[in-house]
Amino acid sequence: MAIRKRCLFLGFLAFLWTELSAENNTKNATCRLLGKFDLTGYVDAKNHSMVIGGLFPVHSRTIPTNESILEPISAKCEGFNFRGFRWMKTMIHTLKEINERKDILPNHTLGYQIFDTCFTISKAMESALVFLTGQEENRPNFRNSTGKYLAGIIGSGGSSLTVAASRILGLYFIPQVGYTSSCSLLSDKFQFPTYVRTVASDKIQSEAMVNLIKHFGWVWVGAIAADDDYGKYGVKAFKEKMESANLCIAFSETIPKVYSNEKMQKAVNAIRSSTAKVIVLYASDLDLSPFVLEMVHHNITGRTWIASEAWITSALIARPEYFPYFGGSIGFAIPRADIPGLKEFLYNIHPSKDPNDVLTIEFWQTAFNCTWPNSSVPYNIDHRINMTGKEDRLNSMSDKLCTGEEKLEDLENTYLDVSQLRITNSVKKAVYAMAYALDHLSRCEEGKGPFFPNKHCVYIPDFDPSQLMYYIKTLKFTAHDGHQIELNDAGDVINGHYDILNWQLDDNGKISFVPVGKYTFKHSMFELILPKNSTIFWNTNSSKRPHSVCTDVCPPGTRKGIRHGEPICCFDCIPCADGHVSEKPGQRECDKCGEDYWSNAQKSKCVLKEVEFLAYDEALGFTLVILSIFGDLVVLAISVVYVIYRHTPLVNANDRVLSFLIQMSLVITMLSSMLFIGKPYNWSCMARQVTLALGFTLCLSSILGKTISLFFAYRISVSKTRFTSMHPLFRKVIVLISVLAQVGICVAYLVLEPPWVYKNMESQNIKIIFECNEGSIEFLCIIFGVDVFLALLCFLTTFVARQLPDNYYEGKCITFGMLVFFIVWISFVPAYLSTKGKFKVAVEIFAILASSYGLLGCVFAPKCFIILLRPKRNTEETVGGRVPTVDRSIQLTSASVSSELNNTTVSTVLDD
């Protein structure tokens, strides 16, 4: 029984051992490496407190994978990048310098684990996974491969690479300090919570580019960008700044990351066909190389390129053979600085020091165009697509073997060139930023720490990456070049400057980067500094600043007319409308001239309007003045004749006093015409119509007194009944009543609604017509209606008495005078209404003078003719006298009316 139990127990143990062995085999199968990433770089993690990772583009691209292979593989790299290799070496040099210092991390040292990103997103992602995994395997389990604590990452050496790596590193809050990735997208802390950088964001660079464009007066600019995050977001920010500045993008094309002949030709054709002579290039030097070859192949010259910081100092592009196409490029560069000891460190490199250092061997082979003996490192591999669309596949070993005796001093390449340490300087700042953050973390005093609860501290190497981020975001230090490094909440530097460089040829025929200005920024303050004495080389036929506009600036006198469907920089120049001007070139709208101004013939300036009124010194005004004065002199001459011959029968006939009143009124009316001439004033406007109306009232009422006397004489001569002749006093009363009534109406007119000076700008736009606004038209009609009424009474009474037999036909003369008066003023009305300006005033003056001359000629000319030239007829017998009533054959005349009263003969002589 015991034996049986022992056998059962042994069988159970055997079964259990079998199961455990099977399970163990399953586990071993699960944990085996399925495949390694093909990564190159440098690692130094032993005897160090922690490790800082690094990502640098030591190669420029990956070899295209074989499409027939269906499983994922890690691509190999090609195109050795001397510039990226120098950046990698700079990080190693900086860490060595920090470890030797006693003021930073005195009790700790920093190691490194650096990978080559090959300037591709896939390699950047592979490197990020390696940082987070325990092995170099393509299935992450987030263990550090060096066995040391990973403090943070420096890199990745390109915006797209950084975006890709930071999305993974940010998930686990691994700090990342960038040295060249300026894409504005990386400022978004929601997507990239652990990314900070020591270079300015592209938002600042885009602002600087637009300010530079505005400074040189360019408004029509093309844009070329790499087909990656750096190019797309850079151009996006640039376009937004251009639009806010009312500047225009002529075209916007992209350079393909993977060569596409169709896309490349599209960009080339856009440049060749556009009138834009200034083009912004947002791309790295590695992406730009195929595009530069296209420019050379198509021989496109005469363009001015505005460079971003990614290629303005790149030796890969700045070659003398490219100068005819890209010479005169002007762009923004990260500030340069000298790094002590770096040159010697860079020269301290040789393949023999480490046979496993594949990057150094490849550097040596590429630099000296030889093959290192017994090395499997490929030489001169190039799988790029050429301009014909075919693939150039060069994979041959050089026939020349490297001896190891080659001298670095004989080389002229980017790796050893320390004259333009710009991004290299930024690498050093990034490493120091990580070191200073770790130093501040290590110096934390318990109870004064930044972390809750109880304000505790964390220590190396037990801190969490998120805790180090606190120290990085609050970082503020002075770099080795004297510049202050301070970050904002987005992880961007808030103060610094760009150097503005211009590509020029030196005396040796090489391209030199000549500083011509500076763009400084601090917080939200910006300043573009371009000294007047700076000499900028322009790659144009005239060597003058290029002219890059869609449409030339509209000259003064025109305005911009928008072309529908086209950018605002493309417009037509439309002449300004009358009364509007544009004094400055390029105005969008014409400015309206002031009330007293009008546009000149060129529509470029407002000038005072021509003031129009009937002036004394012009021909028309002077002629009317002469006619007025001449008429007054004639009236005065007649008055003199009447005074001299005042006792003669002809002067005494039909009331001598009324004759003098008529003469005086004609003087007034003719003189009143002069009030219409000259620049009108309020007093002249008030005086002229009133004076004219009163003058005519006095004249017509006096004539009315005469015509009523003639009317009574006629009635007596034809009536069989007896009529009493009009007493001379009644005639004066008629004149007095008429004048007083007119005076009353005129006073009411001047008090209630007086006339005033009026600037008439409606009749003619280019002139200001000074005229009188007559105030109340109703009052004016009443005033002159009185004169028309008096004239009508005069005409009717004289027309009735026109058949009065007399040797002197005064009744007929007055009748003709009234006819002339009515004809003149009836003709005046349509003429007055159809004219404007000074001619309107001239028509009224002419009517005044014509009617005055007409009355003067018809009433007084015949009498003066008899008095002066026919004095024998100026007798009582001729003019009038006593006539016996029994002699019925002799009729009564206007000079004498006989009437019988109480059978006696009474003679009434019509005189005073």
Side-chain angles (χ1 to χ4, degrees), residues 571-836:
F571 49 83
D572 297 314
C573 295
I574 302 174
C576 293
D578 292 337
H580 294 72
V581 298
S582 60
E583 298 183 359
K584 298 178 181 179
Q587 284 191 208
R588 296 195 65 179
E589 298 294 338
C590 297
D591 301 321
K592 187 176 182 180
C593 292
E595 185 178 279
D596 295 339
Y597 292 84
W598 194 251
S599 54
N600 60 1
Q602 294 77 26
K603 308 294 176 63
S604 61
K605 189 176 181 181
C606 289
V607 295
L608 280 171
K609 289 183 178 180
E610 180 183 347
V611 178
E612 180 180 285
F613 55 87
L614 187 58
Y616 288 102
D617 54 356
E618 59 179 300
L620 181 58
F622 182 74
T623 301
L624 294 174
V625 170
I626 294 298
L627 291 175
S628 177
I629 294 174
F630 177 75
D632 289 329
L633 293 176
V634 172
V635 175
L636 291 176
I638 293 173
S639 299
V640 170
V641 171
Y642 265 59
V643 170
I644 295 174
Y645 296 95
R646 62 185 178 278
H647 300 296
T648 62
L650 192 58
V651 174
N652 288 326
N654 207 8
D655 206 324
R656 179 178 59 194
V657 174
L658 293 180
S659 297
F660 282 114
L661 288 176
I662 294 172
Q663 294 165 14
M664 184 178 68
S665 65
L666 290 176
V667 171
I668 294 173
T669 54
M670 289 189 180
L671 287 177
S672 69
S673 65
M674 299 180 66
L675 294 174
F676 290 82
I677 304 174
K679 184 178 180 180
Y681 297 94
N682 286 334
W683 66 266
S684 62
C685 290
M686 296 172 67
R688 63 185 192 178
Q689 298 290 4
V690 171
T691 304
L692 176 63
L694 290 174
F696 274 127
T697 299
L698 179 60
C699 177
L700 294 171
S701 61
S702 300
I703 294 175
L704 181 61
K706 283 180 171 285
T707 57
I708 290 178
S709 298
L710 294 176
F711 176 77
F712 275 99
Y714 172 74
R715 295 300 296 170
I716 293 171
S717 65
V718 299
S719 176
K720 296 180 180 181
T721 60
R722 297 181 180 179
F723 282 86
T724 303
S725 63
M726 177 178 285
H727 195 278
L729 182 61
F730 292 156
R731 304 170 198 163
K732 280 72 172 180
V733 171
I734 292 173
V735 174
L736 181 61
I737 292 173
S738 300
V739 172
L740 289 177
Q742 187 71 291
V743 168
I745 298 172
C746 290
V747 170
Y749 170 52
L750 296 178
V751 171
L752 298 178
E753 295 189 51
W756 70 89
V757 177
Y758 170 63
K759 294 181 180 180
N760 186 351
M761 302 180 186
E762 300 173 358
S763 300
Q764 297 187 44
N765 291 326
I766 61 175
K767 294 180 180 180
I768 299 176
I769 301 175
F770 274 93
E771 58 186 19
C772 291
N773 188 304
E774 304 300 348
S776 173
I777 301 299
E778 292 79 5
F779 264 115
L780 204 62
C781 291
I782 293 172
I783 290 172
F784 285 100
V786 172
D787 292 337
V788 172
F789 178 71
L790 293 175
L792 188 59
L793 288 178
C794 292
F795 176 75
L796 291 176
T797 54
T798 55
F799 182 79
V800 173
R802 72 188 186 282
Q803 296 180 354
L804 182 66
D806 197 349
N807 293 326
Y808 169 60
Y809 303 105
E810 187 175 21
K812 294 180 180 180
C813 292
I814 294 177
T815 301
F816 281 114
M818 289 297 101
L819 286 175
V820 171
F821 184 86
F822 280 115
I823 291 172
V824 168
W825 286 100
I826 290 172
S827 303
F828 157 76
V829 172
Y832 182 82
L833 295 176
S834 62
T835 55
K836 297 178 181 179

Side-chain angles (χ1 to χ4, degrees), residues 216 218 302 304 536-547:
F216 290 119
W218 301 320
T304 296
I536 300 177
F537 172 76
W538 301 110
N539 192 21
T540 58
N541 294 331
S542 61
S543 297
K544 294 182 179 180
R545 185 172 63 194
H547 187 63

Side-chain angles (χ1 to χ4, degrees), residues 55-57 81 87 117 119 154-162 176 178-181 195 284 286 423:
L55 298 173
F56 295 91
N81 181 15
W87 298 345
T117 63
F119 202 65
I154 305 297
S156 294
S159 292
S160 293
L161 282 63
T162 301
Q176 185 179 5
Y179 55 87
T180 186
S181 302
Y195 181 79
S284 67
L286 299 177
I423 296 179

Side-chain angles (χ1 to χ4, degrees), residues 6 12 244 423 612:
R6 186 178 295 176
F12 175 74
S244 62
I423 296 179
E612 180 180 285

Side-chain angles (χ1 to χ4, degrees), residues 91-104:
M91 177 178 173
I92 298 173
H93 172 264
T94 305
L95 287 173
K96 180 181 178 182
E97 178 183 294
I98 292 172
N99 289 334
E100 292 175 354
R101 293 179 61 168
K102 301 301 181 183
D103 57 334
I104 302 177

Side-chain angles (χ1 to χ4, degrees), residues 172-222:
Y172 301 94
F173 235 74
I174 301 296
Q176 185 179 5
V177 183
Y179 55 87
T180 186
S181 302
S182 57
C183 179
S184 58
L185 178 64
L186 291 165
S187 299
D188 184 356
K189 295 301 104 177
F190 181 78
Q191 299 187 61
F192 310 99
T194 60
Y195 181 79
V196 298
R197 50 189 162 193
T198 56
V199 293
S201 168
D202 281 336
K203 286 184 178 180
I204 297 177
Q205 183 173 205
S206 298
E207 183 81 33
M209 286 180 173
V210 172
N211 285 335
L212 183 73
I213 290 169
K214 289 170 63 178
H215 175 81
F216 290 119
W218 301 320
V219 298
W220 188 237
V221 179

Side-chain angles (χ1 to χ4, degrees), residues 7 28 45 59 74 82 202 206 211 243 286 353 376 470 492 506-507 616 653 679 719 742 861 880 896 901:
C7 290
N28 290 338
H59 288 85
S74 181
F82 291 104
D202 281 336
S206 298
N211 285 335
E243 184 177 354
L286 299 177
K353 291 183 178 182
S376 61
Y470 169 81
D492 300 327
D506 59 17
D507 297 335
Y616 288 102
K679 184 178 180 180
S719 176
Q742 187 71 291
S896 62
L901 182 58

